[in-house]
Amino acid sequence: MNYTLKPFYFLVIIWAIIASSCTQKEQPSKPNIIIMYADDLGYGDVGCYGATRVKTPHIDQLASNGLVFTDAHCTAATCTPSRFSMLTGSYAFRNNAAILPGDAPLLIRPGTPTLPGMLQQAGYTTAVIGKWHLGLGDGTIDWNGDISPGPLEIGFDYSFLVPATLDRVPCVFVENRRVFNLDPADPIEVNYDHKIGSEPTGLESPGLLKVRADTQHSNTIINGISRIGYTSGGKSAWWKDEEIATVLVNQTKAFLHENKDNPFFLFLSYTDIHVPREPHPRFKGATTMGRRGDAIAQMDWTTGEVMKMLDKLGLTHNTLVIFTSDNGPVLDDGYEDESAKLVGDHKPAGPFKGGKYSAYEGGTRVPTIVSWPAKIKPGISNSLVNQVDFYASFAALTGQPLNEQEAPDSYNMLPALLGQSLVGRQTMLEESFTLALRNNNWKFIAPQTKGTPAWLKDKDVETGLTTTDQLFELESDKGEVKNVIDKYPEVAEKMKKMLKDIEMRGTRPGYKN
Ligand code: NG6
Ligand code: CA
């Protein structure tokens, strides 16, 4: 040993220690992951996306610390299909996933690889809090016993659910496998076929209603609001619509507190701003847009409460938060809550055409903010990204290998999601009552493939559904006003073929990572 080199070795060791601690800071592994998932929130509904008639300071704050995407999409223009795709990495049409009734069986069958299941393998504690709408049980549910299978059977360690939607019975929370606060002496029953029990319905007793509704939403009245479906019993467990946001915030805070010391994945699924919009009275008049505006204000409050809790627990720096929505906006969705009348010059879908239920961009192009202070530089990204890719992207982030059958439609888009690359998707499907395809700035809408429900026909919704092919060029025509199919037939043909390829292949081996 040459003793004269000793001081040099010493310096090298010190340098190595300093360098490794720096890189550890720069490259945190296994960040906490939170998906904040608003319900029916449109591209133009928040301040950082241009809204002026409603203030969303907490979401705007998240945006100023993160990446704001201008071309980010949920996979479908309605809720169940979008959630299905995000959690399985598989397009919904492969599973015929459509809007589910409140007593539907669990759509994602146990044994199906899921995003939370993959993160469990990576060592995460996983939870879903809020709206579910992916079905529960095997076909007939006994709401008084153990409700299974459900989230716990497909990759979540904890669940606190609104089982379907705010406008569907049962109007109770389900914590893990049990209805929350249920009194066994007053058993609960649910029926989507005919009236049960003696609770009044909206059709029979409109005088009892806080807000009038269309026929589909005029079954059992709970908390002065008529719903889709019939229910009896279980009164101690009924939610109060005005309190739901607070209940979900409290459950979230408790989950964060309990899991502050280990990596966690939280799917925080807001009930705002879906109908019936009945926010807490303290939000009444927050905007001049009536209940829909008030519900946006409440959703912003929820976001702020969760962010404050992360701060308090010292978790903000190493938590990857994605704030986004499950489908585009809708004004009248079955209740006479004056949202359409009071909207004024507010543009729920921003510059885009259509909204919820629509094949146009407004159906799936949704606000999307990705924040991870340890890693992401704030800014704006125009990359084309899609929620179906969260699965493969988080697998790459956490070092989880995916097998070929797993998440068949999910690509690793982590570099785009973290703002390290401008390259997003080149090609991407948009699902509604038909299929549409994006190829960079081209948008092809195939003729309608599914029947339009009768109730949608009467609505003031630009569905984009036709019996002929449509082609738009979004760079010059964001609003999908000019069908250029006759001008560029070869582009349309190429895209038609791409769409067929996606439809035909069950999985796409060999593309991941
Ligand atoms: C529709 C409901 C609508 C809403 C939607 C689901 C009628 C007439 N309309 O069937 O009110 O509940 O389903 O919304 O019943 S989603 O955001 O969960 O997809
Ligand atoms: Ca929705």
Side-chain angles (χ1 to χ4, degrees), residues 364-383:
T364 63
R365 204 189 283 219
V366 284
T368 302
I369 300 163
V370 183
S371 150
W372 180 10
K375 194 87 173 182
I376 293 180
K377 286 201 199 74
I380 293 178
S381 170
N382 300 326
S383 306

Side-chain angles (χ1 to χ4, degrees), residues 172-183:
V172 297
F173 300 112
V174 174
E175 185 177 39
N176 294 325
R177 298 189 180 92
R178 287 280 173 159
V179 169
F180 187 67
N181 267 344
L182 183 67
D183 173 2

Side-chain angles (χ1 to χ4, degrees), residues 46-310:
V46 283
C48 51
Y49 281 82
T52 52
R53 290 196 43 223
V54 55
K55 301 268 174 274
T56 54
H58 298 107
I59 295 164
D60 299 352
Q61 174 72 29
L62 190 66
S64 62
N65 295 328
L67 259 186
V68 177
F69 285 83
T70 61
D71 203 357
H73 294 251
C74 49
T75 67
T78 50
C79 155
T80 304
S82 280
R83 287 156 200 259
F84 174 86
S85 300
M86 185 171 76
L87 294 181
T88 63
S90 173
Y91 287 135
F93 77 84
R94 300 203 194 283
N95 209 54
N96 279 327
I99 300 172
L100 292 178
D103 60 352
L106 181 65
L107 182 65
I108 303 172
R109 301 310 300 168
T112 311
T114 64
L115 170 63
M118 179 275 293
L119 289 172
Q120 265 179 344
Q121 294 292 315
Y124 280 69
T125 302
T126 61
V128 49
I129 296 176
K131 175 173 170 172
W132 182 238
H133 209 188
L134 287 162
L136 290 168
D138 274 330
T140 28
I141 306 176
D142 176 5
W143 296 93
N144 304 291
D146 268 350
I147 301 163
S148 158
L152 301 196
E153 282 70 34
I154 57 165
F156 287 103
D157 295 308
Y158 175 74
S159 63
F160 188 90
L161 307 178
V162 163
T165 55
L166 293 183
D167 57 353
R168 284 173 174 77
V169 299
C171 299
V172 297
F173 300 112
V174 174
E175 185 177 39
N176 294 325
R177 298 189 180 92
R178 287 280 173 159
V179 169
F180 187 67
N181 267 344
L182 183 67
D183 173 2
D186 180 25
I188 179 171
E189 267 188 72
V190 170
N191 196 299
Y192 269 77
D193 182 48
H194 57 266
K195 180 172 171 171
I196 47 171
S198 55
E199 294 304 330
T201 69
L203 270 190
E204 294 160 358
S205 313
L208 297 177
L209 297 175
K210 293 180 190 167
V211 54
R212 291 184 72 109
D214 65 15
T215 320
Q216 280 87 348
H217 292 84
S218 288
N219 302 152
T220 305
I221 300 176
I222 306 281
N223 188 32
I225 300 168
S226 53
R227 320 276 168 161
I228 308 176
Y230 302 93
T231 184
S232 73
K235 272 197 166 172
S236 61
W238 290 359
W239 66 52
K240 273 200 87 180
D241 299 72
E242 297 82 348
E243 303 293 341
I244 292 175
T246 309
V247 171
L248 298 184
V249 161
N250 289 340
Q251 294 297 332
T252 301
K253 286 183 177 173
F255 174 81
L256 295 177
H257 195 266
E258 270 165 38
N259 290 283
K260 60 183 183 338
D261 298 324
N262 51 272
F264 59 79
F265 166 63
L266 171 63
F267 174 27
L268 174 57
S269 181
Y270 301 48
T271 51
D272 287 318
I273 57 170
H274 196 283
V275 296
R277 303 174 182 117
E278 202 62 45
H280 191 273
R282 72 179 179 279
F283 297 102
K284 201 172 164 58
T287 72
T288 52
M289 294 195 289
R291 292 171 193 240
R292 190 171 181 278
D294 299 348
I296 296 176
Q298 177 167 274
M299 181 212 50
D300 183 65
W301 169 81
T302 301
T303 310
E305 287 302 294
V306 177
M307 294 312 297
K308 272 186 229 158
M309 188 67 182
L310 287 177

Side-chain angles (χ1 to χ4, degrees), residues 8-67:
F8 173 72
Y9 278 131
F10 181 69
L11 281 178
V12 167
I13 289 163
I14 296 284
W15 174 83
I17 291 170
I18 293 170
S20 80
S21 71
C22 286
T23 24
Q24 264 165 26
K25 250 191 198 148
E26 273 164 37
Q27 297 186 334
S29 56
K30 310 243 163 103
N32 306 308
I33 301 172
I34 303 182
I35 298 177
M36 297 180 168
Y37 213 50
D39 196 359
D40 296 359
L41 186 75
Y43 189 93
D45 276 329
V46 283
C48 51
Y49 281 82
T52 52
R53 290 196 43 223
V54 55
K55 301 268 174 274
T56 54
H58 298 107
I59 295 164
D60 299 352
Q61 174 72 29
L62 190 66
S64 62
N65 295 328
L67 259 186

